[in-house]
Amino acid sequence: MSNSTGQRKNSFSTGWQCPSNIALVKYWGKHGNQLPNNPSVSFTLSEAATRTFVTWEEDLNTDSPGLSFLFDGKENRAFESRIRKFLDAMSVEHFPFLKFGHLSIETSNSFPHSSGIASSASAMSALSMALCDLELMISGKSVSDVLFHRKASVISRLGSGSACRSVYPVAAIWGQFAEVPGSSDEWATGLESGVHKVFHTFHDDILIISPEEKSVSSSAGHGLMENNPYAPARYVQARAHTGKLLTALREGDLKAFGKITEDEALTLHALMMCSDPSYILMKEGSLSVINLVRRFRSDTDIPLYFTLDAGPNVHLLYPEEFEEPVGQFISSELRPLCHEGRIIRDRVGPGPQKIA
Ligand code: DP6
């Protein structure tokens, strides 16, 4: 048997590029096998992305997944051991073919690893898309686009929760939510058709306040929600925000969008501050940016809003039509607050692309 690209017997290759995503309603707190304690909603980005090429070669003399792994063309023991653990787990229930062959993975990010932006969402979703694609190539079967993305989303989630939202264009919701048919805690659902056109070209300029590794990982942060006294109220709030945000996204209501998005970012960081042990991931520069953004908005009436991930960097969200005045404001007042003046200019994007 040879595959469609004419490679040698029982060897299959594919490549996928997947973007990062920025949560608007935050996933913070989980249970069971990577199941979220509340629904979350995100924009899919485009510039911050991972490119992953995989080749699987059958080897019937083994019963455990073989792996070669290169990151940016070089060996990387830390990433490799995380991927090896993930593949071992995936070979049991989801991809038995992994047990009977050798997988070569070559992966790279469009942004420097030290840029301080999370790479696990783009990395795990790119690998998951590639694995789902390989599975179909090997079995010779085909599935609907909806099922393909759904499985890729499940696999991404098992690698890193937020990654499950990166497999769709424009925007996605993860978590069972009555208003969204087909939504589930196990996979994300694409929201593209329910999002007003003003958001399809939204900008997300990521201000790099600090490129340092964060002092408390997201996984540890999720764990601290278990004993956080505000957790029950937070999960109620997240559901209410999800409903309101879906309406704002559908109607193109920028004010409601901005209010919910900023409330979510500040709630996330407030939850960290009142965890036990307490911790703070914002830096002085993050707060300065937030205050300046709010002042700019009240002075100009331009709908410029901020959000933050679990880190100090600030994402600036605004409609395409305000690119020029926002750009001038960033250059004059915000760039000096960024580490080495670093900014990643990103925007809402078309989701995963097959690149090989
Ligand atoms: C603050 O997806 O990185 O970015 O499931 O443990 O890998 P794990 O956590 P991760 O958490 C992301 C948290 C967040 C909010 C979000 O993206 O929704």
Side-chain angles (χ1 to χ4, degrees), residues 124-236:
M124 295 318 297
S125 56
L127 178 59
S128 301
M129 295 295 285
L131 291 173
C132 289
D133 198 11
L134 274 183
E135 180 187 39
L136 291 182
M137 288 168 142
I138 292 165
S139 68
K141 291 187 183 145
S142 62
V143 291
S144 70
D145 213 39
V146 174
L147 274 188
F148 180 75
H149 282 81
R150 198 167 272 186
K151 176 155 184 179
S153 185
V154 170
I155 303 300
S156 304
R157 182 197 104 231
L158 294 169
S160 176
S162 55
C164 75
R165 298 182 309 238
S166 269
V167 306
Y168 297 101
V170 182
I173 179 170
W174 170 32
Q176 203 279 326
F177 198 70
E179 278 173 38
V180 182
S183 60
S184 165
D185 286 354
E186 288 180 55
W187 57 78
T189 303
L191 290 174
E192 183 180 15
S193 60
V195 171
H196 188 278
K197 63 176 182 355
V198 70
F199 294 114
H200 288 235
T201 53
F202 236 57
H203 285 241
D204 178 0
D205 290 345
I206 309 167
L207 307 187
I208 307 302
I209 304 296
S210 165
E212 283 163 27
E213 282 279 304
K214 49 196 176 198
S215 55
V216 179
S217 71
S218 285
S219 292
H222 289 291
L224 290 172
M225 281 298 277
E226 278 165 35
N227 292 319
N228 189 310
Y230 299 99
R234 158 62 191 159
Y235 300 137
V236 172

Side-chain angles (χ1 to χ4, degrees), residues 18 29 60 63 74 80 103 125 152 165 195 213 237 248 274 300 326 337 350:
C18 268
L60 294 174
D63 64 355
K74 294 187 219 99
E80 183 175 331
L103 195 65
S125 56
R165 298 182 309 238
V195 171
E213 282 279 304
Q237 179 203 43
C274 60
T300 62
V326 171
L337 295 163

Side-chain angles (χ1 to χ4, degrees), residues 23 25-28 30 34 40 82 120 159-162 165 218-219 222 268 309-310:
V25 173
K26 309 292 183 183
Y27 147 59
W28 201 238
K30 60 178 168 179
Q34 292 279 97
S40 56
R82 182 168 174 187
S120 67
S160 176
S162 55
R165 298 182 309 238
S218 285
S219 292
H222 289 291
L268 171 71
D309 257 339

